[in-house]
Amino acid sequence: MSVEPVVEQSGELEQQTEPEVVATRNYTSIAEKDAWWYIARFSKDYKYCYGNTQDLSAQAFRTRRAQSGYVWEKKWTQALRTSIGNSDDVGAFLNLTNAYLLVCDGEESNNFCKVAQDDLPDIPVVKTSLAGCRVIGRMCVGNKNGLIVPETTSDVELQHLKRELPDSVEVRTLEDRLSALGNVIVCNDHVALVHPDLDKESEEIVADTLKVEVFRHVIASNSLVGSYCVMNNNGGLVHIDASKTELEDLSSLLQLQLVAGTVNGGNKTVASGLVVNDCIAYAGMKTTAKEFASIETALQLKIH
């Protein structure tokens, strides 16, 4: 399924430094259950810790690893390529936080859910719709403290979310003329940027529910801050046209490192093709190696 972008996506890519290695994964091609072992057994770090592992079976490798008592830290990136159905606009169908992952309801998201449950074993992966719609990433906003959904969300959907999400996550509805909450609000666990025209009452609900400090702002002269910014607790990726001065001012305001970039081969609407938490990022299949370099620099993803 293809989703129409919220705003114009055209634009030239800014020249960036090519990283030495950008390890990404195409979920549609994963067939080996022990893919981690296949990668790790050729790793110099593993050879240093466990000796020559190239000729070992997966089970023999696990045995040697357990006997050594050494815990090896993964060195490859946690920024991964994926798609929902045939769409690279993963930000339209997902909402990822440090406490949960919401996935659009529908058969086309089944494969992604299976892989995401392996990637995120410590948080629930919840399939849902909002007001009967599948573009949940553009309709809601949340963090580890709460989830805010549109007032049109049905009672059945609300009960499902409250039942599946952790008890520490407050689920609350918000009625505002700017109803596509994911487009007009962006947050991490501490701060939030909101559209300058968001109602004062809505701003208070955002602050109370998500337990964040709220700032009204624009990015590269655009009010849709939720479309043009993606952030976690370590940093953020913003519209490629944001000036150096604007990046410095916004970084100072949020107390975060911000990097200007694109996703999906030049899409300035970064939130349409990227979702993140502190440990992992999912980007659309068209995202290039240079774009992944910006994502990793900006978001400083931590190892699980």
Side-chain angles (χ1 to χ4, degrees):
M1 173 180 176
S2 178
V3 174
E4 290 296 325
V6 177
V7 290
E8 182 182 349
Q9 297 184 2
S10 61
E12 296 297 324
L13 287 174
E14 185 179 84
Q15 293 297 319
Q16 302 175 39
T17 303
E18 182 77 15
E20 293 183 6
V21 178
V22 178
T24 57
R25 186 164 46 167
N26 180 347
Y27 287 137
T28 61
S29 65
I30 293 179
E32 186 174 359
K33 180 180 180 180
D34 289 313
W36 64 271
W37 160 73
Y38 180 81
I39 297 171
R41 66 183 180 142
F42 291 101
S43 163
K44 292 180 180 179
D45 296 294
Y46 260 108
K47 289 180 182 179
Y48 176 80
C49 301
Y50 307 129
N52 185 6
T53 59
Q54 294 187 26
D55 298 327
L56 296 181
S57 66
Q59 184 58 46
F61 181 86
R62 290 192 184 94
T63 301
R64 180 178 295 187
R65 183 178 63 170
Q67 290 173 345
S68 72
Y70 183 87
V71 178
W72 180 74
E73 182 180 46
K74 290 192 297 182
K75 302 298 182 182
W76 59 85
T77 177
Q78 292 295 299
L80 308 172
R81 289 189 180 98
T82 190
S83 62
I84 303 296
N86 295 321
S87 177
D88 294 317
D89 294 327
V90 295
F93 303 109
L94 307 175
N95 187 317
L96 175 61
T97 75
N98 289 321
Y100 55 85
L101 169 63
L102 300 185
V103 183
C104 68
D105 205 3
E107 293 183 2
E108 61 273 21
S109 63
N110 288 342
N111 289 337
F112 171 80
C113 285
K114 292 177 182 178
V115 178
Q117 286 168 347
D118 291 334
D119 291 336
L120 302 164
D122 299 325
I123 65 175
V125 177
V126 181
K127 293 186 67 173
T128 188
S129 60
L130 294 174
C133 298
R134 297 175 53 253
V135 286
I136 59 172
R138 302 299 84 211
M139 297 181 67
C140 67
V141 63
N143 61 12
K144 71 174 184 179
N145 302 311
L147 173 67
I148 303 176
V149 298
E151 190 267 341
T152 53
T153 303
S154 71
D155 292 339
V156 173
E157 292 166 335
L158 281 174
Q159 291 303 315
H160 171 66
L161 289 171
K162 292 178 180 179
R163 182 173 61 253
E164 298 296 330
L165 294 180
D167 294 337
S168 60
V169 176
E170 179 183 2
V171 181
R172 191 167 179 180
T173 60
L174 187 152
E175 183 177 5
D176 194 288
R177 65 184 184 84
L178 300 173
S179 58
L181 303 179
N183 289 338
V184 297
I185 304 169
V186 60
C187 71
N188 60 17
D189 294 334
H190 307 292
V191 295
L193 293 179
V194 301
H195 191 293
D197 296 333
L198 194 73
D199 291 345
K200 181 63 176 177
E201 182 179 350
S202 298
E203 179 184 340
E204 294 173 354
I205 291 175
V206 171
D208 292 343
T209 305
L210 304 183
K211 297 178 175 59
V212 292
E213 188 173 5
V214 179
F215 301 100
R216 295 175 181 266
H217 217 280
V218 298
I219 297 176
S221 301
N222 292 282
S223 299
L224 297 177
V225 291
S227 297
Y228 288 119
C229 177
V230 175
M231 69 170 77
N232 60 12
N233 293 326
N234 308 316
L237 185 74
V238 302
H239 193 294
I240 189 69
D241 292 339
S243 66
K244 182 177 180 181
T245 300
E246 183 178 4
L247 282 178
E248 291 174 351
D249 292 343
L250 196 52
S251 295
S252 177
L253 178 69
L254 299 175
Q255 294 297 294
L256 288 174
Q257 172 184 285
L258 299 178
V259 174
T262 59
V263 297
N264 279 332
N267 188 346
K268 298 180 181 181
T269 319
V270 291
S272 70
L274 177 66
V275 294
V276 304
N277 65 12
D278 288 350
C279 298
I280 198 167
Y282 293 112
M285 295 297 295
K286 294 178 181 178
T287 302
T288 67
K290 289 183 179 180
E291 289 172 332
F292 268 109
S294 295
I295 291 170
E296 292 184 337
T297 299
L299 302 170
Q300 305 176 57
L301 302 173
K302 299 177 181 178
I303 301 300
H304 286 283

